[in-house]
Amino acid sequence: MALIVQKYGGSSVANAKKILRVAQRVIKTKRAGHKVVVVVSAMGDMTDDLIALAGQINKNPEEREMDMLLSTGEQVSIALLAMAVHKLGHQAVSFTGPQVGIITDEFHSKARIQNVSAERIKKALGDGKIVIVAGFQGQTPSGEITTLGRGGSDLTAVALAVALKAKHCEIYTDVDGIYTADPRVIPEARKMSVATYDEILELASLGAKVMHSRSIEVGKKFNMPIRVRNSHKDVQGTLITKENKKMEEVVVSGVALAEDEAKITLFRVSDRPGVAAKVFQTLADANVNVDMIIQNKTQTNSTDISFTVLKHELTKALKTVKAAMKKVGATSITCDENIAKVSVVGIGMRSHSGIASKMFSTLAKHKINIDMISTSEIKISVVVAGDKGRLAARAIHRAFGLDKK
Ligand code: ADP
Ligand code: ASP
Ligand code: MG
């Protein structure tokens, strides 16, 4: 009897009818002779709605209270799904993250899982029940409720699959699997039947929100196979697994577009050791994630530093950096919310040259200016004007032949 963890995203449990459909699917898996643990997200856009609601009351809510609020979304879904399973004549029990021993650090709104005991899950499975767990949440060792970052139910699912030594983890969503680009932005994108952890990790951390990036990190670390599938159709999805020889032949496997970042530039920062350390340490202390960084020496004895942060952390980032400006001798600061980051990803890029030049010449052909560039072994990212992001992503997708078999 194999144990399978299934995760259903917000769109899969958006209303009562869909919850009943998920219940049927879960029961089918149980009937096929498996032990089933189900992780669910909040219904539809409930998390966004709760964030908007909080904003009507306080523009700057405390992160602890925000987590208290957002964790309720998933609690609604688990109870309703358990009721749906009961209605169909099967045994099920729902648990919150804290109830199943998901322990995290204390960083509210983006807490990291430190430990999963899962004792109550094992006991309930032993009693023959389908176990339904709230995604996206945990608690600190001192009992404070935390959330794992937007899209964090994927992480709950993979972490539970690892803790319970599941056969694999199934992620059910509203598309057929992972595509060469977001199929809603680039309709000619193609579904991948297999992909490596590294590729999906890059795609996810570069903005393809189909999977939470830390869930892939955990999957990779413990070699847990992850299958991404459509919750409404019985079609083969995408298997995320470790690398094999054949996969290396694929040079570029996907394109990601991120429209949720903003750029900050600090002008005429003193050109001496320790200055960049100061700027980015202050941001780290404020728990702001920094993505791309570019430093440029000016003709005087100073440098300009540009970097990107998530738009929703822009206010916090600006406040933090402004407070440190004097210490690093910066003369002024600007920010730009109208940017988009476009990236190409592929493990085969390690052994191929010419990918960057092809990407840049494609952008040039479309008269799209490049604002920032960053590269790693298996990706190249550029920042362009926000209103050019989609055009750039589509052109690059085509230039690398990702629209063709
Ligand atoms: P869920 O609620 O199931 O967690 P998400 O909205 O978080 O669903 O993720 C699914 C969405 O991810 C899709 O609807 C799609 O628009 C988007 N997406 C972005 N990049 C990709 C990609 N490369 N492949 C598939 N989907 C992608
Ligand atoms: N409900 C949370 C969110 O919308 C977590 C998730 O869906 O995975 O971000
Ligand atoms: Mg998601």
Side-chain angles (χ1 to χ4, degrees):
M1 201 190 238
L3 194 158
I4 293 174
V5 174
Q6 299 188 329
K7 176 253 167 180
Y8 292 88
S11 52
S12 309
V13 292
N15 55 41
K17 208 168 139 201
K18 288 185 176 176
I19 291 176
L20 281 158
R21 272 230 305 263
V22 167
Q24 280 165 353
R25 187 149 207 162
V26 169
I27 290 167
K28 200 171 135 197
T29 313
K30 173 103 197 315
R31 280 201 162 143
H34 302 299
K35 288 184 179 176
V36 196
V37 174
V38 188
V39 172
V40 273
S41 296
M43 293 170 70
D45 297 327
M46 188 182 273
T47 309
D48 291 323
D49 296 345
L50 289 172
I51 292 172
L53 183 59
Q56 287 172 31
I57 292 188
N58 185 337
K59 285 268 168 290
N60 214 350
E62 279 186 18
E63 287 180 327
R64 177 191 185 276
E65 303 309 329
M66 209 54 197
D67 277 357
M68 189 65 89
L69 177 69
L70 297 191
S71 62
T72 62
E74 272 64 17
Q75 204 169 327
V76 171
S77 316
I78 54 169
L80 293 175
L81 182 58
M83 291 175 197
V85 174
H86 297 160
K87 162 104 180 148
L88 298 172
H90 289 259
Q91 283 189 301
V93 58
S94 69
F95 293 119
T96 64
Q99 280 182 314
V100 296
I102 297 181
I103 303 297
T104 73
D105 62 20
E106 69 285 8
F107 289 107
H108 284 291
S109 85
K110 50 181 161 192
R112 296 182 80 96
I113 295 179
Q114 291 179 329
N115 190 36
V116 181
S117 65
E119 288 314 318
R120 291 187 78 171
I121 300 184
K122 289 177 199 157
K123 163 128 200 346
L125 286 173
D127 294 341
K129 292 180 181 159
I130 291 168
V131 177
I132 302 164
V133 182
F136 176 57
Q137 53 177 258
Q139 72 175 357
T140 64
S142 62
E144 296 290 345
I145 291 178
T146 51
T147 63
L148 310 177
R150 294 306 306 272
S153 299
D154 298 331
L155 176 59
T156 305
V158 178
L160 284 179
V162 169
L164 294 162
K165 301 192 170 62
K167 184 166 154 263
H168 60 251
C169 181
E170 296 172 357
I171 304 288
Y172 286 94
T173 184
D174 58 356
V175 284
D176 289 356
I178 299 185
Y179 285 68
T180 50
D182 186 342
R184 294 186 202 286
V185 177
I186 301 181
E188 60 271 26
R190 285 181 307 102
K191 188 178 73 186
M192 308 178 194
S193 53
V194 278
T196 65
Y197 295 114
D198 285 336
E199 283 168 329
I200 305 305
L201 185 55
E202 284 288 353
L203 278 178
S205 35
L206 292 168
K209 72 175 176 101
V210 62
M211 285 287 294
H212 188 278
S213 61
R214 288 206 327 268
S215 69
I216 309 290
E217 261 168 34
V218 173
K220 179 183 175 188
K221 187 164 169 196
F222 297 96
N223 199 17
M224 172 59 61
I226 301 171
R227 293 173 185 277
V228 182
R229 303 181 62 181
N230 194 320
S231 60
H232 305 307
K233 291 192 227 159
D234 239 336
V235 291
Q236 179 114 50
T238 302
L239 169 67
I240 311 172
T241 178
K242 61 182 182 211
E243 194 173 330
N244 70 39
K245 273 268 168 297
K246 208 163 152 232
M247 293 171 171
E248 254 175 72
E249 290 162 15
V250 182
V251 181
V252 169
S253 49
V255 171
L257 171 67
E259 297 178 304
D260 57 355
E261 290 185 28
K263 184 176 86 168
I264 296 180
T265 304
L266 269 171
F267 292 98
R268 295 182 180 270
V269 177
S270 315
D271 189 20
R272 57 184 158 83
V275 163
K278 177 92 214 149
V279 172
F280 295 105
Q281 187 59 52
T282 341
L283 286 162
D285 291 345
N287 201 19
V288 173
N289 287 340
V290 173
D291 182 22
M292 281 165 115
I293 303 175
I294 284 186
Q295 176 173 307
N296 241 337
K297 212 174 164 87
T298 58
Q299 273 168 342
T300 58
N301 210 7
S302 64
T303 66
D304 294 342
I305 300 179
S306 292
F307 56 93
T308 63
V309 297
L310 287 172
K311 270 182 194 155
H312 75 87
E313 292 191 329
L314 179 61
T315 315
K316 187 157 89 170
L318 279 173
K319 201 172 132 202
T320 312
V321 177
K322 276 182 183 159
M325 262 174 79
K326 258 220 180 97
K327 286 185 205 140
V328 298
T331 55
S332 57
I333 183 169
T334 59
C335 72
D336 184 0
E337 286 193 72
N338 180 32
I339 63 165
K341 182 176 70 176
V342 184
S343 314
V344 294
V345 171
I347 48 171
M349 278 164 63
R350 285 185 202 132
S351 48
H352 280 74
S353 53
I355 310 295
S357 64
K358 187 164 183 175
M359 182 173 183
F360 302 158
S361 61
T362 305
L363 292 169
K365 220 183 284 164
H366 288 81
K367 302 203 169 17
I368 298 170
N369 194 44
I370 301 172
D371 199 12
M372 300 170 96
I373 300 172
S374 98
T375 63
S376 81
E377 222 188 357
I378 64 165
K379 68 116 196 215
I380 301 166
S381 301
V382 296
V383 167
V384 299
D387 53 357
K388 293 282 193 291
R390 287 172 181 237
L391 172 66
R394 208 162 173 178
I396 291 168
H397 189 267
R398 204 175 309 123
F400 285 102
L402 293 173
D403 51 341
K404 298 190 190 83
K405 268 243 168 352

